[in-house]
Amino acid sequence: MKIRAFLRRLAFRTKISLSIIAILLMLGISLSFMISRYVSQALLAENKLRGVSNAVNLSARVVEPLLSIDFLELRNLVDEILKTNRDVAYAFVLDKAGDPLVHTFAGGFPVDLKTANLVQDAETYHNRVLATATDLIDDFAVPVLIAGERVGTVRIGMSRIRVQEVVSRLLWAIFLSIGTG
């Protein structure tokens, strides 16, 4: 009732101005959610492409050290992936029996992760989203094949934290521009 009485006392020009502001705010807010959704989907697709590329590249590079059982070279290759890409949460190489040869985990290899994302020999890669306590991770598994026979598997986990940070910054920028505009 108080709001109606307040609105009746306002001048017609003020009512029009308030209506236009309300419409623009509603339009801006709805557009910001649509834009953030599209940007999020595009960034996740790009993150997936980068993960596939990293995993396929690593699988090609580990063939020789895997055959010669050069653990030092395998370790260097796995560490290099982690150092050169901030989004990589972990990387590891499994032998043909599915046992870990090298990994980037500081506190030991998480045994449950070994079978969390299985890839068939006929597949180029297999992707699965894994949830941790703090993050969602795109896990990519790529078989290491020589003459059609599997000699190992490469696994890379790509974190989604940076994608979520970019979308959050975009939303704040949109809301700030709506609020100041």
Side-chain angles (χ1 to χ4, degrees):
M1 290 298 179
K2 291 182 182 183
I3 295 174
R4 283 187 182 177
F6 174 74
L7 290 175
R8 284 186 189 146
R9 283 185 273 149
L10 292 176
F12 181 71
R13 182 178 253 169
T14 306
K15 290 178 185 177
I16 295 294
S17 296
L18 287 175
S19 297
I20 290 172
I21 290 171
I23 289 170
L24 289 176
L25 282 175
M26 288 175 33
L27 179 66
I29 290 171
S30 64
L31 278 175
S32 66
F33 286 117
M34 287 174 39
I35 289 170
S36 70
R37 187 171 140 234
Y38 291 131
V39 168
S40 177
Q41 289 174 349
L43 288 174
L44 287 174
E46 183 64 29
N47 198 44
K48 182 177 178 179
L49 287 174
R50 285 181 37 236
V52 170
S53 175
N54 284 335
V56 169
N57 183 26
L58 182 60
S59 72
R61 294 176 68 198
V62 301
V63 170
E64 188 176 323
L66 196 58
L67 288 176
S68 63
I69 311 172
D70 186 353
F71 291 111
L72 180 61
E73 182 63 24
L74 282 173
R75 177 66 187 199
N76 288 338
L77 290 171
V78 168
D79 286 343
E80 181 184 325
I81 289 290
L82 203 62
K83 289 177 188 173
T84 58
N85 193 331
R86 293 188 323 174
D87 296 330
V88 174
Y90 58 80
F92 59 93
V93 178
L94 303 172
D95 64 10
K96 64 180 172 183
D99 296 321
L101 297 173
V102 293
H103 60 82
T104 59
F105 297 102
F109 186 80
V111 180
D112 292 341
L113 194 57
K114 196 165 75 168
T115 58
N117 185 13
L118 301 174
V119 61
Q120 303 300 318
D121 292 348
E123 294 178 297
T124 307
Y125 72 92
H126 191 264
N127 174 239
R128 184 164 183 200
V129 178
L130 304 176
T132 66
T134 58
D135 189 15
L136 288 176
I137 294 181
D138 286 305
D139 186 277
F140 299 93
V142 176
V144 180
L145 302 171
I146 297 176
E149 184 178 330
R150 182 183 289 207
V151 293
T153 304
V154 166
R155 296 267 300 279
I156 291 180
M158 296 286 288
S159 174
R160 289 187 176 183
I161 287 177
R162 277 198 350 161
V163 170
Q164 294 165 347
E165 288 172 354
V166 169
V167 171
S168 294
R169 284 195 311 259
L170 176 66
L171 270 176
W172 278 111
I174 291 171
F175 287 142
L176 186 63
S177 67
I178 290 171
T180 59

XYZ file of all heavy atoms in Angstrom, residues 82-143:
476
model
N 52.888 -30.708 -16.755
C 52.383 -30.004 -15.584
C 52.957 -28.589 -15.503
O 52.245 -27.647 -15.148
C 52.732 -30.790 -14.324
C 51.881 -30.545 -13.095
C 50.440 -30.921 -13.355
C 52.418 -31.324 -11.924
N 54.222 -28.417 -15.846
C 54.873 -27.107 -15.749
C 54.446 -26.152 -16.856
O 54.391 -24.945 -16.644
C 56.394 -27.271 -15.810
C 56.978 -27.893 -14.578
C 58.472 -28.095 -14.744
C 59.039 -28.891 -13.591
N 60.450 -29.234 -13.822
N 54.165 -26.668 -18.028
C 53.873 -25.795 -19.166
C 52.403 -25.409 -19.298
O 52.078 -24.568 -20.124
C 54.319 -26.453 -20.491
O 53.656 -27.697 -20.646
C 55.820 -26.642 -20.526
N 51.533 -25.994 -18.498
C 50.114 -25.688 -18.600
C 49.525 -25.568 -17.201
O 49.440 -26.548 -16.474
C 49.398 -26.789 -19.396
C 48.017 -26.385 -19.805
O 47.359 -25.596 -19.133
N 47.558 -26.928 -20.904
N 49.088 -24.358 -16.851
C 48.553 -24.114 -15.509
C 47.261 -24.879 -15.237
O 46.903 -25.110 -14.094
C 48.266 -22.628 -15.306
C 49.478 -21.780 -15.285
C 49.192 -20.354 -14.905
N 47.943 -19.820 -15.427
C 47.472 -18.641 -15.109
N 48.123 -17.865 -14.292
N 46.344 -18.209 -15.625
N 46.552 -25.257 -16.279
C 45.264 -25.926 -16.102
C 45.388 -27.427 -15.862
O 44.407 -28.075 -15.497
C 44.376 -25.687 -17.323
C 44.030 -24.221 -17.485
O 43.965 -23.516 -16.470
O 43.820 -23.781 -18.627
N 46.566 -27.993 -16.073
C 46.742 -29.424 -15.858
C 46.863 -29.679 -14.355
O 47.759 -29.162 -13.693
C 47.989 -29.958 -16.605
C 48.245 -31.410 -16.254
C 47.802 -29.820 -18.105
N 45.933 -30.466 -13.830
C 45.935 -30.787 -12.404
C 46.847 -31.973 -12.106
O 47.472 -32.031 -11.046
C 44.511 -31.091 -11.937
N 46.901 -32.918 -13.029
C 47.757 -34.089 -12.856
C 48.002 -34.742 -14.198
O 47.300 -34.495 -15.180
C 47.133 -35.110 -11.894
C 45.769 -35.614 -12.325
C 45.638 -36.619 -13.293
C 44.615 -35.084 -11.772
C 44.394 -37.071 -13.692
C 43.366 -35.540 -12.160
C 43.266 -36.516 -13.121
O 42.036 -36.959 -13.516
N 49.022 -35.573 -14.223
C 49.321 -36.385 -15.404
C 49.989 -37.655 -14.912
O 50.737 -37.631 -13.921
C 50.226 -35.630 -16.367
N 49.706 -38.762 -15.586
C 50.379 -40.005 -15.240
C 50.351 -40.969 -16.412
O 49.573 -40.817 -17.349
C 49.823 -40.643 -13.961
C 48.355 -40.980 -13.985
C 47.912 -42.241 -14.374
C 47.416 -40.049 -13.581
C 46.569 -42.562 -14.364
C 46.069 -40.361 -13.559
C 45.641 -41.616 -13.959
N 51.240 -41.962 -16.337
C 51.351 -42.976 -17.373
C 51.150 -44.338 -16.715
O 51.754 -44.637 -15.681
C 52.734 -42.924 -18.066
C 52.850 -44.024 -19.108
C 52.975 -41.557 -18.688
N 50.293 -45.149 -17.326
C 50.035 -46.507 -16.858
C 50.685 -47.486 -17.826
O 50.759 -47.227 -19.029
C 48.536 -46.782 -16.798
C 47.678 -45.848 -15.946
C 46.204 -46.140 -16.160
C 48.046 -45.982 -14.484
N 51.134 -48.620 -17.313
C 51.666 -49.654 -18.208
C 50.502 -50.431 -18.815
O 49.342 -50.131 -18.558
C 52.655 -50.569 -17.476
C 52.015 -51.359 -16.350
O 50.769 -51.362 -16.225
O 52.756 -51.995 -15.578
N 50.798 -51.449 -19.624
C 49.716 -52.160 -20.312
C 48.830 -52.948 -19.355
O 47.690 -53.240 -19.667
C 50.260 -53.062 -21.415
C 51.128 -54.196 -20.974
C 51.588 -54.979 -22.188
C 52.621 -56.023 -21.810
N 53.114 -56.723 -22.989
N 49.318 -53.235 -18.149
C 48.505 -53.916 -17.142
C 47.635 -52.936 -16.356
O 46.800 -53.345 -15.556
C 49.405 -54.701 -16.186
N 47.860 -51.637 -16.576
C 47.069 -50.628 -15.876
C 47.685 -50.157 -14.576
O 47.019 -49.491 -13.784
N 48.953 -50.457 -14.354
C 49.635 -50.013 -13.138
C 50.396 -48.722 -13.420
O 50.997 -48.565 -14.486
C 50.608 -51.088 -12.654
C 49.880 -52.369 -12.255
O 48.797 -52.253 -11.651
O 50.385 -53.462 -12.572
N 50.401 -47.791 -12.467
C 51.081 -46.507 -12.696
C 52.600 -46.659 -12.753
O 53.195 -47.335 -11.916
C 50.657 -45.655 -11.500
C 50.161 -46.600 -10.477
C 49.717 -47.832 -11.178
N 53.192 -46.025 -13.758
C 54.648 -46.011 -13.890
C 55.223 -44.711 -13.330
O 56.172 -44.738 -12.550
C 55.047 -46.178 -15.358
C 54.647 -47.489 -16.011
C 54.953 -47.463 -17.499
C 55.362 -48.646 -15.335
N 54.667 -43.588 -13.759
C 55.067 -42.271 -13.254
C 53.802 -41.432 -13.079
O 52.808 -41.623 -13.782
C 56.057 -41.548 -14.196
C 57.386 -42.259 -14.246
C 55.491 -41.385 -15.583
N 53.861 -40.491 -12.138
C 52.724 -39.610 -11.890
C 53.200 -38.307 -11.279
O 54.365 -38.195 -10.875
C 51.686 -40.289 -10.985
C 52.218 -40.675 -9.644
N 52.315 -39.783 -8.605
C 52.692 -41.858 -9.175
C 52.809 -40.393 -7.545
N 53.057 -41.655 -7.869
N 52.313 -37.333 -11.193
C 52.642 -36.017 -10.648
C 52.012 -35.762 -9.286
O 52.019 -34.635 -8.816
C 52.189 -34.909 -11.623
O 50.773 -35.028 -11.819
C 52.920 -34.994 -12.945
N 51.499 -36.768 -8.634
C 50.867 -36.596 -7.332
C 51.928 -36.546 -6.240
O 52.800 -37.411 -6.175
C 49.880 -37.733 -7.053
C 48.747 -37.782 -8.018
C 48.736 -38.714 -9.047
C 47.704 -36.881 -7.923
C 47.702 -38.754 -9.950
C 46.660 -36.920 -8.831
C 46.658 -37.856 -9.842
N 51.836 -35.544 -5.379
C 52.851 -35.344 -4.340
C 52.730 -36.377 -3.221
O 53.729 -36.868 -2.715
C 52.741 -33.936 -3.772
N 51.531 -36.717 -2.825
C 51.344 -37.603 -1.678
C 51.115 -39.054 -2.037
O 50.554 -39.802 -1.251
N 51.523 -39.481 -3.192
C 51.287 -40.854 -3.625
C 50.148 -40.927 -4.612
O 49.314 -40.026 -4.704
N 50.104 -42.011 -5.337
C 49.106 -42.176 -6.390
C 47.754 -42.575 -5.806
O 47.654 -43.558 -5.059
C 49.575 -43.237 -7.398
C 48.682 -43.367 -8.583
C 48.775 -42.465 -9.631
C 47.735 -44.377 -8.665
C 47.954 -42.569 -10.739
C 46.911 -44.493 -9.765
C 47.013 -43.585 -10.801
N 46.670 -41.848 -6.136
C 45.328 -42.226 -5.672
C 44.829 -43.457 -6.440
O 44.557 -43.379 -7.632
C 44.472 -41.003 -5.955
C 45.237 -40.202 -6.939
C 46.661 -40.592 -6.865
N 44.706 -44.559 -5.764
C 44.395 -45.844 -6.395
C 43.056 -45.824 -7.127
O 42.924 -46.424 -8.199
C 44.422 -46.974 -5.336
C 44.115 -48.320 -5.965
C 45.770 -47.005 -4.641
N 42.069 -45.121 -6.593
C 40.746 -45.069 -7.231
C 40.792 -44.400 -8.603
O 39.948 -44.669 -9.451
C 39.750 -44.313 -6.348
C 39.425 -45.073 -5.076
O 39.671 -46.299 -5.053
O 38.943 -44.449 -4.119
N 41.773 -43.554 -8.816
C 41.875 -42.832 -10.085
C 42.289 -43.742 -11.231
O 42.005 -43.468 -12.388
C 42.882 -41.681 -9.938
C 42.908 -40.624 -11.015
C 41.534 -39.981 -11.192
C 43.934 -39.566 -10.688
N 42.927 -44.844 -10.891
C 43.431 -45.764 -11.915
C 42.324 -46.270 -12.837
O 42.503 -46.358 -14.049
C 44.122 -46.938 -11.208
C 45.007 -47.756 -12.086
C 45.938 -48.649 -11.281
C 45.234 -49.823 -10.685
N 46.156 -50.824 -10.143
N 41.159 -46.569 -12.293
C 40.057 -47.122 -13.083
C 38.902 -46.131 -13.273
O 37.824 -46.520 -13.727
C 39.509 -48.398 -12.419
O 39.083 -48.073 -11.088
C 40.558 -49.490 -12.391
N 39.130 -44.864 -12.942
C 38.059 -43.867 -13.032
C 37.719 -43.485 -14.472
O 36.617 -43.007 -14.737
C 38.437 -42.615 -12.245
N 38.639 -43.695 -15.392
C 38.402 -43.321 -16.785
C 39.143 -44.322 -17.673
O 40.328 -44.173 -17.927
C 38.892 -41.895 -17.047
C 38.564 -41.419 -18.438
O 37.780 -42.022 -19.155
N 39.177 -40.323 -18.835
N 38.428 -45.316 -18.149
C 39.035 -46.353 -18.972
C 38.830 -46.044 -20.448
O 37.761 -45.606 -20.865
C 38.439 -47.714 -18.633
C 38.592 -48.152 -17.167
C 37.844 -49.446 -16.928
C 40.056 -48.296 -16.805
N 39.859 -46.284 -21.242
C 39.802 -46.040 -22.672
C 40.033 -47.358 -23.406
O 40.872 -48.162 -22.995
C 40.838 -44.967 -23.102
C 42.243 -45.396 -22.800
C 40.686 -44.610 -24.570
N 39.268 -47.564 -24.452
C 39.419 -48.769 -25.269
C 40.513 -48.550 -26.306
O 40.821 -47.419 -26.679
C 38.099 -49.110 -25.963
C 36.934 -49.298 -25.012
C 37.171 -50.415 -24.021
O 37.670 -51.475 -24.378
N 36.831 -50.169 -22.759
N 41.085 -49.639 -26.803
C 42.142 -49.542 -27.810
C 41.641 -48.882 -29.099
O 42.397 -48.197 -29.784
C 42.701 -50.926 -28.143
C 43.466 -51.529 -26.984
O 43.765 -50.799 -26.014
O 43.778 -52.737 -27.045
N 40.375 -49.075 -29.421
C 39.824 -48.527 -30.661
C 39.528 -47.029 -30.552
O 39.323 -46.371 -31.567
C 38.550 -49.276 -31.032
N 39.509 -46.486 -29.348
C 39.219 -45.066 -29.150
C 40.495 -44.239 -29.254
O 41.561 -44.662 -28.806
C 38.607 -44.818 -27.769
C 37.237 -45.428 -27.558
C 36.724 -45.178 -26.156
O 37.350 -45.659 -25.199
O 35.693 -44.495 -26.034
N 40.356 -43.052 -29.834
C 41.483 -42.123 -29.873
C 41.747 -41.578 -28.473
O 42.888 -41.442 -28.049
C 41.190 -40.950 -30.825
O 40.809 -41.476 -32.088
C 42.385 -40.055 -30.977
N 40.671 -41.262 -27.769
C 40.750 -40.789 -26.386
C 39.413 -41.043 -25.720
O 38.412 -41.303 -26.379
C 41.112 -39.299 -26.319
C 39.993 -38.387 -26.750
C 39.087 -37.877 -25.822
C 39.817 -38.053 -28.084
C 38.056 -37.049 -26.218
C 38.789 -37.229 -28.487
C 37.914 -36.723 -27.544
O 36.885 -35.911 -27.935
N 39.406 -40.944 -24.396
C 38.159 -41.010 -23.649
C 38.195 -39.908 -22.612
O 39.201 -39.718 -21.932
C 37.990 -42.379 -22.976
C 36.618 -42.577 -22.425
N 36.304 -42.337 -21.118
C 35.470 -42.969 -23.017
C 35.026 -42.587 -20.919
N 34.491 -42.970 -22.066
N 37.099 -39.164 -22.518
C 37.003 -38.045 -21.583
C 35.934 -38.329 -20.555
O 34.868 -38.847 -20.889
C 36.670 -36.763 -22.370
C 36.400 -35.582 -21.474
O 35.340 -34.997 -21.515
N 37.359 -35.219 -20.658
N 36.237 -37.972 -19.306
C 35.267 -38.128 -18.232
C 35.461 -36.993 -17.237
O 36.592 -36.632 -16.921
C 35.459 -39.459 -17.537
C 34.431 -39.727 -16.487
C 34.403 -41.162 -16.100
N 33.344 -41.372 -15.144
C 33.263 -42.379 -14.345
N 34.177 -43.325 -14.402
N 32.265 -42.493 -13.510
N 34.373 -36.430 -16.758
C 34.442 -35.369 -15.761
C 34.468 -36.021 -14.379
O 33.593 -36.817 -14.042
C 33.245 -34.402 -15.884
C 33.314 -33.334 -14.810
C 33.204 -33.780 -17.261
N 35.491 -35.662 -13.599
C 35.643 -36.180 -12.247
C 35.478 -35.029 -11.258
O 35.934 -33.916 -11.505
C 37.027 -36.819 -12.071
C 37.390 -37.932 -13.054
C 38.819 -38.394 -12.811
C 36.428 -39.093 -12.924
N 34.843 -35.309 -10.136
C 34.637 -34.289 -9.106
C 35.595 -34.536 -7.944
O 35.728 -35.661 -7.471
C 33.199 -34.330 -8.614
N 36.255 -33.461 -7.525
C 37.074 -33.506 -6.317
C 36.357 -32.684 -5.257
O 35.268 -32.163 -5.497
C 38.481 -32.931 -6.570
O 38.367 -31.526 -6.849
C 39.176 -33.628 -7.729
N 36.983 -32.534 -4.118
C 36.365 -31.752 -3.049
C 36.262 -30.275 -3.413
O 35.381 -29.572 -2.924
C 37.164 -31.920 -1.760
N 37.152 -29.802 -4.286
C 37.199 -28.370 -4.586
C 36.981 -28.024 -6.055
O 36.856 -26.849 -6.379
C 38.570 -27.794 -4.175
O 39.592 -28.500 -4.884
C 38.793 -27.920 -2.689
N 36.938 -28.999 -6.932
C 36.994 -28.677 -8.357
C 36.372 -29.792 -9.193
O 36.241 -30.925 -8.744
C 38.465 -28.508 -8.749
C 38.678 -27.952 -10.137
O 37.723 -27.426 -10.735
O 39.810 -28.038 -10.623
N 36.027 -29.439 -10.423
C 35.681 -30.430 -11.439
C 36.883 -30.558 -12.357
O 37.511 -29.568 -12.720
C 34.459 -29.992 -12.244
C 33.118 -30.032 -11.526
C 32.021 -29.483 -12.427
C 32.774 -31.435 -11.085
N 37.205 -31.790 -12.729
C 38.372 -32.046 -13.564
C 37.943 -32.855 -14.772
O 37.249 -33.862 -14.648
C 39.458 -32.792 -12.766
C 39.981 -31.878 -11.670
C 40.571 -33.282 -13.672
C 41.065 -32.456 -10.829
N 38.371 -32.395 -15.948
C 38.179 -33.167 -17.172
C 39.354 -34.124 -17.277
O 40.495 -33.702 -17.451
C 38.134 -32.247 -18.398
C 36.837 -31.474 -18.491
O 35.772 -32.113 -18.475
O 36.878 -30.236 -18.585
N 39.073 -35.414 -17.158
C 40.107 -36.433 -17.208
C 40.150 -37.022 -18.614
O 39.130 -37.459 -19.132
C 39.807 -37.535 -16.184
C 40.918 -38.542 -16.082
O 40.962 -39.477 -16.912
O 41.751 -38.401 -15.182
N 41.337 -37.021 -19.220
C 41.514 -37.529 -20.577
C 42.416 -38.751 -20.532
O 43.509 -38.695 -19.964
C 42.142 -36.459 -21.475
C 41.298 -35.234 -21.592
C 41.492 -34.159 -20.746
C 40.288 -35.167 -22.529
C 40.700 -33.036 -20.838
C 39.489 -34.049 -22.630
C 39.692 -32.981 -21.780
N 41.939 -39.838 -21.119
C 42.719 -41.072 -21.207
C 42.984 -41.363 -22.674
O 42.073 -41.322 -23.495
C 41.949 -42.232 -20.571
N 44.257 -41.641 -22.978
C 44.660 -41.929 -24.360
C 45.503 -43.195 -24.342
O 46.472 -43.288 -23.583
C 45.480 -40.759 -24.962
C 45.976 -41.103 -26.344
C 44.644 -39.494 -24.999
N 45.140 -44.183 -25.169
C 45.969 -45.389 -25.215
C 47.281 -45.119 -25.954
O 47.313 -44.343 -26.905
C 45.099 -46.384 -25.990
C 44.225 -45.534 -26.848
C 43.989 -44.265 -26.064
